[in-house]
Amino acid sequence: MPRPICATIDLAAFAHNLALARRCAGSARVLAVVKADAYGHGLLRVLPAAQRADGLAVLEIEAAVRAREAGFVGRIVLLEGCFDERDLEQAVHLDLTPVLHSAGQIDALARAAIERPIGVMLKLNSGMNRLGLRAAQFRTALAQVEHMAQVRDVILMSHFANADDQRGVAHQLAVFDAAISGSTQPVSLANSAALLRYPQTQRQWVRPGIMLYGATPFADQSAGELGLVPVMSLASRVIAVQTLAPGESVGYGASFTAARPMRIGVVACGYADGYPRHAPSGTPVMVAGQRTGTVGRVSMDMLCVDLTPVPAADVGAEVELWGRAVPVDEVATSSGTVGYELLCALAPRVPVRVRAAAEA
Ligand SMILES: *Cc1c(COP(=O)(O)O)cnc(C)c1O
C-alpha cells in the first residue's frame, strides 16, 4: 500500500474559478497565469480546464513548449521575457508573446533576424520597481517597438504592488495612464486582486493567477467569501495514535506539552511533503470530518493532531491538511505565509490525482 498522502486537483473547481474570473473581466480577455507549474498544481494537469482561457502566462520557455505540445493554441505570454537569443528563436517558432521589460530586451529583439513577427508585451514600471521601463523611456520605446518589423502586435502592461492591500491601485494606475496617454494599444494590468476589487483595471487583457486555484489574494477576504472553490486538496491519514499523560510532550523540541490526558494522531504528512514547518500548534486540520488543530512541531515526514474533538478517530482516520474544509489560506495565515507559497511548495514526492471536470 502506498503511503496514504495524496493531493487531488479538481478541474471542475478550476473551471468554476476561471468562469468567475471571466465574469469579473467583462469584455476583457483572460490570460490564465500558470507560472510555477500552475502554482504547484501541475501545468499539464490543469491545462484541460485552462484551455478555456484566451491565453496563458508562464516564465520558462520549457513551460510554453509543454503547453503548445499539449495543444494550447491561444496566446502564451513569457512574463519575464526572453533570457537570450535562443529563447527568442523559440518564441518565434512557437508564436509566444514575450514581455519586453528592459532596453536590453528591446535591443535584442531589434537585432534579431526572425522569420515572422511576434506579439510582445511592453512593460511599464509604474511603481513596483521590479520589472519594467520607467515612464520617461516608455514613449520612445513604444514608438520603436511599434515600428519594428519583428513585432506583430503590442500589449501595454504593468503590475500592481498593492492591489491586495489598503494602498490600492490609484497611484500606479495614474502613472500608467499618463505614460500611455494617446496610445490606442491594448492594455493588461489586473492580477487577481485588481480584477476582484478594481473594475477600472480590467482593460483588454487581465492576468488572474491565485484566484483560479481557489485561494484568496487578500488578507481580509477569504476565498469562500469571493465565491472561489479550492482546486487542490491535500489529504492523508492517521498512521499512529499516542495517549499522553499530563506533562508529556510531543515531537522535536518538545514544543507542545499536554496539560491533561490527551490522544494525539500522528499523520503521514510533513514539511518534505510541502506542509509548512512553521505551522504552530493549533493550525487547523480536519480529522475524520471534524475540525481540530495540530500539536507540536511539524517534522519532515509527520505531524501530530489533537484527537480530543474526535475521540472515535483511530489509525486510518482521514485527514485533510487543506482543501474544501480547511482553506489553504487558513493554514498559511497560521504559519505566517500566504496560500500562494503553500500551493507552490507541494512536494514532488506527493502523489497527485486529477479529478476531471466531468467527474465532479
Ligand atoms: C504572478 C503574476 C500575476 C498573477 O498574480 P495573482 O496574484 O496570482 O493573481 C499577474 N501578473 C504578473 C506579472 C505576475 O507575475
Side-chain angles (χ1 to χ4, degrees):
M1 185 185 165
R3 185 165 172 258
I5 192 166
C6 181
T8 303
I9 305 299
D10 180 352
L11 295 188
F14 189 98
H16 166 91
N17 300 330
L18 178 56
L20 196 149
R22 228 184 235 302
R23 284 200 299 283
C24 297
S27 61
R29 283 183 276 183
V30 177
L31 280 175
V33 179
V34 291
K35 62 190 179 187
D37 206 20
Y39 290 47
H41 295 63
L43 172 58
L44 295 186
R45 291 188 196 112
V46 304
L47 203 55
Q51 290 282 1
R52 286 185 231 171
D54 302 296
L56 303 177
V58 297
L59 298 180
E60 311 87 355
I61 279 276
E62 294 75 19
V65 171
R66 283 189 290 146
R68 280 281 184 255
E69 282 174 356
F72 189 82
V73 295
R75 195 181 277 272
I76 301 182
V77 171
L78 298 171
L79 286 172
E80 292 179 347
C82 291
F83 296 102
D84 64 10
E85 276 173 39
R86 264 215 79 234
D87 284 2
L88 200 49
E89 279 167 32
Q90 277 203 290
V92 172
H93 179 64
L94 296 169
D95 192 20
L96 310 179
T97 300
V99 165
L100 301 173
H101 64 73
S102 67
Q105 285 183 332
I106 296 172
D107 292 344
L109 182 61
R111 282 194 312 268
I114 67 182
E115 69 225 35
R116 64 198 142 122
I118 55 171
V120 297
M121 282 179 109
L122 187 65
K123 186 162 191 175
L124 176 76
N125 170 12
S126 57
M128 184 156 182
N129 294 316
R130 210 173 54 174
L131 298 182
L133 301 159
R134 290 270 170 179
Q137 291 114 44
F138 198 72
R139 260 168 202 291
T140 322
L142 176 55
Q144 183 190 359
V145 168
E146 281 174 328
H147 291 103
M148 269 187 207
Q150 291 89 341
V151 171
R152 185 185 61 218
D153 63 272
V154 189
I155 299 171
L156 310 180
M157 79 174 287
S158 195
H159 192 50
F160 295 121
N162 300 104
D164 56 329
D165 66 35
Q166 296 309 315
R167 276 161 287 186
V169 299
H171 176 68
Q172 282 189 261
L173 202 54
V175 170
F176 182 84
D177 282 333
I180 69 153
S181 77
S183 168
T184 56
Q185 300 292 1
V187 164
S188 174
L189 296 172
N191 55 2
S192 299
L195 179 57
L196 290 162
R197 282 206 178 151
Y198 304 104
Q200 69 273 35
T201 64
Q202 282 162 10
R203 311 295 169 97
Q204 285 73 38
W205 289 87
V206 295
R207 306 190 307 270
I210 194 69
M211 68 180 291
L212 301 179
Y213 307 95
T216 182
F218 305 117
D220 60 358
Q221 202 174 11
S222 72
E225 286 166 346
L226 295 164
L228 301 169
V229 179
V231 176
M232 183 194 294
S233 62
L234 179 62
S236 187
R237 288 182 189 273
V238 171
I239 60 169
V241 171
Q242 300 290 344
T243 303
L244 305 185
E248 288 189 315
S249 57
V250 183
Y252 288 118
S255 70
F256 177 87
T257 302
R260 47 183 169 77
M262 192 179 178
R263 281 177 83 237
I264 60 154
V266 181
V267 179
C269 178
Y271 63 77
D273 299 299
Y275 196 88
R277 185 176 170 278
H278 291 106
S281 289
T283 298
V285 58
M286 287 295 280
V287 180
Q290 182 71 45
R291 213 175 152 94
T292 180
T294 62
V295 286
R297 206 179 272 172
V298 173
S299 54
M300 185 184 284
D301 310 312
M302 283 166 268
L303 57 79
C304 295
V305 295
D306 180 4
L307 295 181
T308 311
V310 259
D314 211 329
V315 170
E318 287 184 14
V319 177
E320 181 188 289
L321 285 317
W322 60 68
R324 294 216 181 197
V326 180
V328 69
D329 298 306
E330 285 189 32
V331 180
T333 303
S334 173
S335 310
T337 183
V338 287
Y340 295 78
E341 187 179 11
L342 301 192
L343 296 173
C344 290
L346 183 74
R349 80 176 190 185
V350 176
V352 180
R353 165 174 169 257
V354 178
R355 191 183 302 141
E359 284 178 53

